[in-house]
Amino acid sequence: MANWQQILALDAKYNAYRAPSNPQFRTLYIKRRSQLLRENAAGDKDQSVRRDYLHTRARLLSTKYGSPAISDQGSIKSRSFSFGGRSISKSTIESLDPKLAESRKYHHRRQRSSGSVKFNLDGPMKRVFDSIEVVPTREAEASRAMAGGKSVSENYAFAGMHHIFDQHTDAVTSVKFANDDKSRVACSSVDGTLSVCQVIPPPATVICMLKGHTDAVSDFQWSLSNDIILSVSFDSTARLWNVASGECIRTIKDITGAELHSCLFHPLNNNMFVTGNSKYFVQIINVSTGKGYKGGSCKITGIGMSLAFDPTGRTLWVGDDKGSLSSFNVDLTNGKLIRTRSILFVYLFNSLCLFRISPNGSLQLKQRFSIRQKHARVRSTFCPLMSFRQGACVISGSEDMCVYFFDIGKEKKACVNKLLGHSAPVLDVCFNCDESLLASCDAQGMVIIWKREGKQGVL
């Protein structure tokens, strides 16, 4: 493995000790560290320099923080992270610490791709794109130990409903937990409002309602620091909301006057966001000025229903309602979009599809799962803690009013759990950061917070 990956793995190992009261800073630190290491890797001819640096930094961090405890569930050691197309796993981290390596031996299957990214794209095509970084083998002893000896279906068993929200008067189009936050969840609705709710500690409450849109709110995003929410609506506006006060701090009109269907903050620069509209345009907007970037608007083949960046923020994927997927290079200095690929697929109704993105940018179908999805905009997502278990999962809503869990490592009988409780099509699903709670929303405006069986916290 490249030395830069080992350096990043070492930093990730100790990341839980950096600014313990500020998880957003830790996330930004690792992302920026990854970016710098990647950018300098190509021109670094002398790998011995990096090896010496790695050993020196390991000694300094060990002297300052000591050796992180194995039982620290909040640390990086209990997870697998992907940066710049490479999966940084527990084995990589433990390779830097012989004591950990000796005490916890395991094997896992690794698949690499220089363009590896994870996407969750929704809409009539309902596709999920991913190059699977880490899926442990069934012989992985450490994986079984971390999962408590349980199967995937047992890990994703739920004890029942933690709370039910019904503050919206029409369909809830999207539900999202705040970044690295177990307790706050937000919802957007066709009734033109958004809501921010507190689910931990009980009793669960609605903190505030965000009112200002004059038509259905189709999509929204939390900012990286969770202090701002970006929303888009069929009223042709994007709005920025102060989460603490509930006030709208900026309204940005779509330059074409079209309905807005999707939005996404840039992963490294929250002063930049992207929208997709009903006139087949995808646009990059500057938050500070409220204006689009020159060269930051491109036409696609349909309504931009779903947006996804790769971890570097340099590649943008756009899924539309015509069954096409377009990719763009993003110039981070001037916000310019450069189309790189456009792929048209045959409609695959009633299915959730998992694709692999090859190094040259082409897509290969990896697996297909059966759900009910033909008319509604149904969304799916990866479970946030995917690795070091006997399998990895995606969850999906469905028009048959169920929430589905699929083990992406299985070709047959991949459905490991199904939650019943909604009385209308389930439109979106979302885990909190440690998978202790799951939120799902439906076309009648109900939001259900599900609680996982057993100990709350990291699996």
Side-chain angles (χ1 to χ4, degrees):
M1 180 173 289
N3 287 322
W4 74 264
Q5 289 180 275
Q6 292 182 320
I7 294 170
L8 183 59
L10 178 67
D11 277 347
K13 174 181 177 180
Y14 287 93
N15 200 37
Y17 294 88
R18 295 186 182 93
S21 61
N22 191 344
Q24 289 78 26
F25 172 80
R26 299 200 300 267
T27 302
L28 284 172
Y29 176 89
I30 288 296
K31 285 185 175 182
R32 181 58 177 160
R33 191 88 166 111
S34 169
Q35 181 185 16
L36 291 173
L37 287 168
R38 257 194 335 274
E39 290 175 351
N40 295 329
D44 192 353
K45 304 293 185 182
D46 188 359
Q47 292 297 316
S48 63
V49 174
R50 288 211 170 193
R51 284 195 297 270
D52 292 341
Y53 172 80
L54 174 64
H55 295 313
T56 302
R57 186 165 179 79
R59 288 197 300 271
L60 290 172
L61 289 172
S62 180
T63 300
K64 182 174 179 60
Y65 298 113
S67 181
I70 293 176
S71 62
D72 182 6
Q73 291 182 332
S75 72
I76 196 77
K77 298 185 296 303
S78 63
R79 309 184 187 182
S80 169
F81 285 76
S82 175
F83 293 101
R86 299 287 185 178
S87 178
I88 302 168
S89 69
K90 187 173 174 63
S91 60
T92 302
I93 298 170
E94 290 187 340
S95 69
L96 305 174
D97 191 332
K99 293 181 180 179
L100 288 177
E102 290 176 4
S103 63
R104 300 176 68 93
K105 295 182 180 179
Y106 60 92
H107 305 281
H108 60 77
R109 182 170 69 256
R110 183 185 302 262
Q111 298 180 9
R112 300 178 181 177
S113 169
S114 61
S116 170
V117 291
K118 291 194 293 188
F119 296 111
N120 173 40
L121 301 179
D122 49 63
M125 289 294 290
K126 193 62 224 77
R127 306 173 186 282
V128 179
F129 296 80
D130 182 44
S131 63
I132 307 305
E133 288 100 349
V134 178
V135 179
T137 65
R138 295 189 179 279
E139 291 73 28
E141 295 180 5
S143 299
R144 288 197 295 273
M146 295 181 74
K150 297 179 180 179
S151 66
V152 172
S153 58
E154 289 173 325
N155 275 320
Y156 290 112
F158 282 75
M161 299 176 185
H162 175 75
H163 192 78
I164 296 177
F165 290 102
D166 61 354
Q167 66 270 18
H168 292 286
T169 59
D170 209 330
V172 174
T173 54
S174 185
V175 59
K176 294 181 177 72
F177 277 95
N179 300 305
D180 296 322
D181 189 332
K182 296 188 293 185
S183 61
R184 284 185 299 169
V185 66
C187 315
S188 59
S189 175
V190 173
D191 66 13
T193 67
L194 299 98
S195 58
V196 180
C197 308
Q198 188 87 21
V199 293
I200 299 176
T205 58
V206 178
I207 301 173
C208 64
M209 299 292 294
L210 309 180
K211 299 180 179 180
H213 284 293
T214 58
D215 207 334
V217 181
S218 51
D219 198 10
F220 76 96
Q221 289 287 324
W222 290 87
S223 67
L224 191 59
S225 57
N226 295 328
D227 58 341
I228 299 293
I229 283 180
L230 164 70
S231 63
V232 291
S233 169
F234 289 174
D235 66 7
S236 305
T237 66
R239 289 176 179 259
L240 293 161
W241 307 85
N242 184 311
V243 176
S245 66
E247 297 179 352
C248 178
I249 55 179
R250 183 178 291 275
T251 301
I252 302 170
K253 184 74 175 179
D254 181 73
I255 58 175
T256 67
E259 296 178 346
L260 293 175
H261 286 256
S262 56
C263 64
L264 185 65
F265 276 115
H266 190 278
L268 302 182
N269 179 8
N270 276 188
N271 195 47
M272 180 186 294
F273 69 87
V274 188
T275 62
N277 71 21
S278 60
K279 291 188 177 179
Y280 302 0
F281 279 96
V282 57
Q283 305 168 87
I284 297 186
I285 308 295
N286 183 293
V287 172
S288 299
T289 65
K291 297 179 180 179
Y293 289 90
K294 184 178 181 180
S297 177
C298 284
K299 195 165 188 178
I300 54 178
T301 57
I303 298 174
M305 303 291 286
S306 185
L307 308 165
F309 278 106
D310 78 330
T312 69
R314 297 181 181 275
T315 301
L316 172 68
W317 288 84
V318 184
D320 65 42
D321 69 330
K322 303 297 183 183
S324 292
L325 195 77
S326 302
S327 63
F328 298 86
N329 283 338
V330 181
D331 190 324
L332 301 183
T333 59
N334 57 28
K336 187 176 181 180
L337 285 175
I338 304 171
R339 188 191 303 273
T340 57
R341 186 176 294 270
S342 183
I343 305 167
L344 176 65
F345 293 100
V346 177
Y347 276 90
L348 296 174
F349 292 120
N350 295 322
S351 63
L352 182 156
C353 296
L354 190 73
F355 286 81
R356 184 188 306 281
I357 302 176
S358 65
N360 65 2
S362 62
L363 299 176
Q364 299 173 340
L365 179 65
K366 176 178 173 60
Q367 204 158 350
R368 176 175 173 176
F369 307 106
S370 294
I371 61 170
R372 288 287 301 276
Q373 190 274 315
K374 188 173 182 180
H375 304 290
R377 179 178 179 174
V378 174
R379 307 177 196 238
S380 304
T381 186
F382 286 102
C383 295
L385 307 183
M386 288 181 60
S387 302
F388 308 115
R389 304 192 187 99
Q390 299 177 52
C393 280
V394 293
I395 52 176
S396 179
S398 176
E399 290 182 6
D400 63 1
M401 303 178 288
C402 298
V403 177
Y404 288 91
F405 294 72
F406 296 104
D407 186 341
I408 62 178
K410 289 185 177 181
E411 294 185 1
K412 296 181 179 179
K413 297 182 179 179
C415 182
V416 296
N417 198 5
K418 181 170 69 172
L419 301 182
L420 306 174
H422 287 279
S423 56
V426 181
L427 304 182
D428 196 10
V429 288
C430 182
F431 264 118
N432 66 353
C433 62
D434 69 351
E435 294 187 358
S436 59
L437 296 173
L438 170 71
S440 58
C441 61
D442 67 31
Q444 288 185 350
M446 180 182 292
V447 177
I448 299 178
I449 308 297
W450 309 84
K451 57 183 179 181
R452 190 172 58 82
E453 283 185 350
K455 181 180 179 180
Q456 298 292 310
V458 177
L459 297 178

